[in-house]
Amino acid sequence: MEKRNLFLILLILGTAFWGISFSVTKLAIGQHQPVLFLFYRFLLATMVLSVIFWKHVKKLDSTAIKTGASLAIPLVLGIYLQTLGITHTSASQCSFVAGITVVMIPVIKLAIYRKPAALKIWIAAFTALIGLFVISVTDKFSIGTGDLYTIIGAFCFAIYLIQIEKESMAGDIIPTIVPMFATCALLTFLLTFIQGNTTWIPQQETFWIGIIFCALFSTAYMYTISNISQKYISAERVSIIYLFEPIFGAFAAHFILGEEITSRLLIGGGMIFLATLISELKWRMPKPFAMLMVSKEKKC
């Protein structure tokens, strides 16, 4: 199996973990401060990945540390804002709105790097945007606080994916993984002091179950696979694959939290899924049309 196809499968599996993590996080944080949850999540992920990538940890240099730290900033902001979003809206809706990242990436790339995406990526992004509109915009054409947090978080996450793609093309991304999560843990640790009134050892069992699940599966596994896969798959395609996440998220929210799967979620989710398929289609120009274009070029 080609590495690209292998990473596609691993990414889709990871989106299942991500989708489930929205419900797990909402259940786990309860009345606790979201940033404390994130601190323990990143700390455990750092510890686990330090063991897995120990040979890289032993050879860490200043370049890997600086790169990892720079990647951590948009990642922490993205996850923190989306975690805040979960506290203000349903887990299923938050997971769908987070998919707006797919629209943001080609726009940011065009604005900053003057690098246009393929036509099918724009079509897929536009289709996904309509799906997100169906899901998140109310009858009064307003967006809730939770959705707003999630959309800003999605922007930060888009910046993170673009940076990952850039670093993956420049060299080996693996040595930066542990420094990145260690920086995430440090930043969230500092944020706990800013928020104050922190209960460092919550007694609720769901809190610690959530930490273990999110640290191992939706953080250590998924972000590692995501970072490595961008050596073979573009940021635009990775972001569109991530749109499987809200599909899993909606069903997880239904079974774990008892949230209703509405017609708006199904219609919007169907359009988002269609966007994923469009991005992966291999389009070929029909032969008669291709010959016509070639003959016109020769005449010119």
Side-chain angles (χ1 to χ4, degrees), residues 1 4 24 36 57 72 74-75 84 90 100 116 148 196 215 236 276:
M1 182 183 292
R4 180 181 177 279
V24 171
L36 178 66
V57 173
L75 178 58
L84 285 181
S90 66
I100 196 71
L148 188 59
E236 291 92 340
T276 306

Side-chain angles (χ1 to χ4, degrees), residues 278-295:
I278 292 172
S279 72
E280 288 303 312
L281 286 175
K282 293 182 178 179
W283 294 356
R284 291 182 179 177
M285 190 181 293
K287 285 186 179 180
F289 185 73
M291 291 175 65
L292 178 63
M293 294 297 292
V294 171
S295 62

Side-chain angles (χ1 to χ4, degrees), residues 96 131 134-135 243 247 264-274:
F96 273 105
V134 170
I135 291 167
L243 291 176
I247 308 295
R264 289 177 64 152
L265 279 176
L266 290 175
I267 294 171
M271 296 192 72
I272 288 171
F273 184 75
L274 176 62

Side-chain angles (χ1 to χ4, degrees), residues 111-128:
I112 298 177
Y113 301 110
R114 302 287 187 237
K115 183 180 179 182
L119 176 61
K120 67 177 180 179
I121 297 294
W122 284 105
I123 294 173
F126 183 72
T127 304

Side-chain angles (χ1 to χ4, degrees), residues 78-108:
I79 294 180
Y80 174 62
L81 289 166
Q82 289 185 2
T83 303
L84 285 181
I86 292 174
T87 65
H88 289 84
T89 188
S90 66
S92 55
Q93 182 150 326
C94 186
S95 66
F96 273 105
V97 175
I100 196 71
T101 298
V102 72
V103 182
M104 294 178 174
I105 286 179
V107 174
I108 293 171

